[in-house]
């Protein structure tokens, strides 16, 4: 009986398919998640196609039409400078989505890595990661983000770092808990017996099994990240409003 030769590319593709199927199953298998994902995709499409859906130039000012209510021409009214609010929301959604997605993605990578390391090795590494997360969780997300942005300055990269730092502890805890149980499973012990490195076991066997939980956590905290960004913008520490180049 002939055996197929081991192909690293095929094995990698199989792992990617397994991870994608697990993530898709976590969303499709839950009605609320499916509805939420549909609404989110509509918002993303509206933001990406803002030049098509917008009814006015988002930075065009007209002082004669300032502070108007919703009408056929201005669907959501105008602001204090006479700019169309609906068009500005569409273009502003791009900034909010970029900050939210990048900050949550960064927090997901860092937090998951910390949680997997803590759960897999235990001992002093687990204690260190737990203490770091406890310190970060002692501060409310908005307060911690406010301190970081106030120190570094209200730029988009600094906002992303600040929001990511407030979200890392949640991902670390979500990744740590299942890793503690997975490290004692038979297939993990078999990998150790075969001489696989710890990095290979964590990347190829632990991470794919906890990824659906991490993905669900990311979808939940995306809204929190956008809310923190909006709160910081409300107190003057967000990204500067859309203006025409050269305007004051």
């Amino acid at each position: 009986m002939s055996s197929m030769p081991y192909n690293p590319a095929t094995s990698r593709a199989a792992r990617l398919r397994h991870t994608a199927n697990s993530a898709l199953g976590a969303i499709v298998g839950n009605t609320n998640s499916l509805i939420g994902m549909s609404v989110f995709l509509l918002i993303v499409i509206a933001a990406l196609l803002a030049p098509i859906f917008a009814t006015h130039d988002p930075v065009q000012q007209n002082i004669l039409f300032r502070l108007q209510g919703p009408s056929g021409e201005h669907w959501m009214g105008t602001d204090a400078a006479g700019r169309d609010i609906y068009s500005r929301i569409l273009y502003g959604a791009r900034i909010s989505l970029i900050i939210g997605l990048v900050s949550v993605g960064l927090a997901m990578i860092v937090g998951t890595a910390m949680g997997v390391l803590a759960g897999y090795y235990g001992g002093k590494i687990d204690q260190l990661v737990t203490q770091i997360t406890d310190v970060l969780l002692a501060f409310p997300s908005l307060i911690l983000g406010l301190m970081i942005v106030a120190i570094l300055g209200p730029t988009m990269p600094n906002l992303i770092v600040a929001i990511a730092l407030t979200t890392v502890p949640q991902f670390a805890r979500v990744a740590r808990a299942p890793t503690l149980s997975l490290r004692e499973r038979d297939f993990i012990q078999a990998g150790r017996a075969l001489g696989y490195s710890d990095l290979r076991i964590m990347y190829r066997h632990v991470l794919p099994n906890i990824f659906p939980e991490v993905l669900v956590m990311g979808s939940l905290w995306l809204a929190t990240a956008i809310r923190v960004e909006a709160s910081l913008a409300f107190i003057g520490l967000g990204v500067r409003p859309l203006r025409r180049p050269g305007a004051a």
Side-chain angles (χ1 to χ4, degrees), residues 96-112:
S96 296
L97 288 173
I98 290 174
I99 294 177
L101 290 171
V102 175
S103 62
V104 170
L106 181 61
M108 185 184 297
I109 294 173
V110 176
T112 302

Side-chain angles (χ1 to χ4, degrees), residues 135-147 166 170 221 228:
V135 170
L136 293 176
L137 288 172
F139 298 92
S141 299
L142 181 59
I143 301 301
L144 182 59
L146 175 62
M147 292 189 299
T166 65
Q170 286 77 15
W221 276 92
V228 171

Side-chain angles (χ1 to χ4, degrees), residues 40-58 72-76 84-91 93-94:
F40 175 71
L41 289 177
L42 289 176
I43 295 174
V44 171
I45 292 173
L48 292 176
L49 300 180
I52 297 176
F53 293 134
T55 57
H56 294 77
D57 187 339
E73 183 178 0
H74 300 284
W75 295 353
M76 294 184 179
D84 184 68
I85 294 178
Y86 166 73
S87 300
R88 291 179 66 79
I89 288 176
L90 287 179
Y91 280 91
R94 292 179 168 186

Side-chain angles (χ1 to χ4, degrees), residues 7-216:
N7 189 334
T10 304
S11 178
R12 190 179 300 110
R15 291 196 304 272
L16 291 176
R17 285 196 301 269
H18 172 71
T19 303
N21 291 334
S22 299
L24 185 61
I27 295 174
V28 177
N30 188 303
T31 303
N32 293 332
S33 298
L34 187 59
I35 295 174
M37 180 60 68
S38 300
V39 174
F40 175 71
L41 289 177
L42 289 176
I43 295 174
V44 171
I45 292 173
L48 292 176
L49 300 180
I52 297 176
F53 293 134
T55 57
H56 294 77
D57 187 339
V59 297
Q60 181 65 43
Q61 300 182 18
N62 190 339
I63 200 65
L64 298 178
F65 296 98
R66 61 189 299 269
L67 299 177
Q68 286 193 346
S71 63
E73 183 178 0
H74 300 284
W75 295 353
M76 294 184 179
T78 59
D79 62 8
R83 296 170 295 196
D84 184 68
I85 294 178
Y86 166 73
S87 300
R88 291 179 66 79
I89 288 176
L90 287 179
Y91 280 91
R94 292 179 168 186
I95 298 175
S96 296
L97 288 173
I98 290 174
I99 294 177
L101 290 171
V102 175
S103 62
V104 170
L106 181 61
M108 185 184 297
I109 294 173
V110 176
T112 302
M114 291 174 59
V116 170
L117 288 173
Y120 185 83
Y121 288 111
K124 293 183 178 180
I125 296 179
D126 189 16
Q127 294 178 1
L128 177 62
V129 171
T130 302
Q131 290 174 359
I132 292 174
T133 57
D134 288 343
V135 170
L136 293 176
L137 288 172
F139 298 92
S141 299
L142 181 59
I143 301 301
L144 182 59
L146 175 62
M147 292 189 299
I148 297 174
V149 174
I151 294 173
L152 300 179
T155 63
M156 184 178 291
N158 292 341
L159 280 171
I160 291 174
V161 171
I163 296 173
L165 188 59
T166 65
T167 316
V168 164
Q170 286 77 15
F171 285 104
R173 289 196 167 189
V174 168
R176 173 182 174 273
T179 303
L180 286 172
S181 60
L182 281 173
R183 69 179 183 180
E184 304 300 334
R185 298 283 294 275
D186 292 339
F187 66 94
I188 299 295
Q189 298 299 332
R192 291 171 176 168
L194 290 172
Y196 293 165
S197 65
D198 291 340
L199 182 61
R200 178 176 178 176
I201 293 174
M202 286 185 286
Y203 176 70
R204 294 190 175 183
H205 301 286
V206 175
L207 186 59
N209 283 281
I210 68 172
F211 184 73
E213 300 178 30
V214 174
L215 181 63
V216 171

